[in-house]
Amino acid sequence: MQKTKLGLSVGLLGAIFFFVSFFGGYIPTLLLAGYILLVEDNAWLKRVTIKGVVLALVFSVLSALVNFIPNLMGLVDDVLRIFNENLYVPVISNIVNLILTILNLAEKVLFLLLGFMALKQKTIVIPPLDAFISKYMD
């Protein structure tokens, strides 16, 4: 079993990274990712770290795009109010909240699964993401 410079197994540090991503937020995730990418030598560990950072960014961008919908609806409503009309669709808010809840749940489940799989030095194959990482990492 290969060890990291901290004395932990590579799989354990990979799992810690995903669990920090699950529980800790962006700052601890980026600090640990920075350490792994700058200090550690294991290629698998670096690969799963980049996968975790990219996944966190993808989920953040998706959430931001979904949150853009109510902002756009508010803008249209404000423009229509100039002409004494309004556009208020309460179901849009419920749909946006549902989509955000699904995204949040999917992110949490994925990071938990990746964390437990990292203990065995395995990962979940996500074809477009793995192809993207392979293109820029190798």
Side-chain angles (χ1 to χ4, degrees):
M1 182 179 303
Q2 190 176 4
K3 299 279 186 182
T4 64
K5 294 184 180 174
L6 293 173
L8 303 171
S9 73
V10 170
L12 180 59
L13 187 55
I16 289 170
F17 170 75
F18 285 116
F19 293 139
V20 164
S21 299
F22 177 81
F23 293 111
Y26 291 114
I27 293 175
T29 298
L30 292 176
L31 287 173
L32 186 54
Y35 166 78
I36 291 170
L37 294 173
L38 292 173
V39 176
E40 296 298 335
D41 297 325
N42 186 280
W44 176 87
L45 184 59
K46 287 184 177 192
R47 186 174 206 78
V48 296
T49 300
I50 290 175
K51 180 184 257 185
V53 170
V54 171
L55 275 173
L57 289 173
V58 165
F59 279 109
S60 293
V61 168
L62 288 174
S63 294
L65 290 174
V66 170
N67 276 318
F68 184 68
I69 295 168
N71 294 341
L72 185 61
M73 296 294 292
L75 174 69
V76 171
D77 187 44
D78 289 343
V79 169
L80 288 175
R81 285 181 192 265
I82 293 171
F83 303 106
N84 290 327
E85 298 290 330
N86 70 355
L87 174 69
Y88 179 69
V89 184
V91 74
I92 297 290
S93 178
N94 294 335
I95 292 171
V96 166
N97 287 335
L98 175 66
I99 293 170
L100 289 173
T101 301
I102 291 169
L103 280 173
N104 190 24
L105 182 63
E107 178 182 20
K108 297 302 180 192
V109 167
L110 189 58
F111 274 97
L112 275 176
L113 288 173
L114 284 167
F116 286 118
M117 291 195 67
L119 287 171
K120 301 173 197 164
Q121 288 190 9
K122 295 183 179 181
T123 189
I124 297 172
V125 176
I126 305 169
L129 182 61
D130 289 332
F132 175 81
I133 292 170
S134 292
K135 179 179 178 183
Y136 291 105
M137 220 180 137
D138 294 333

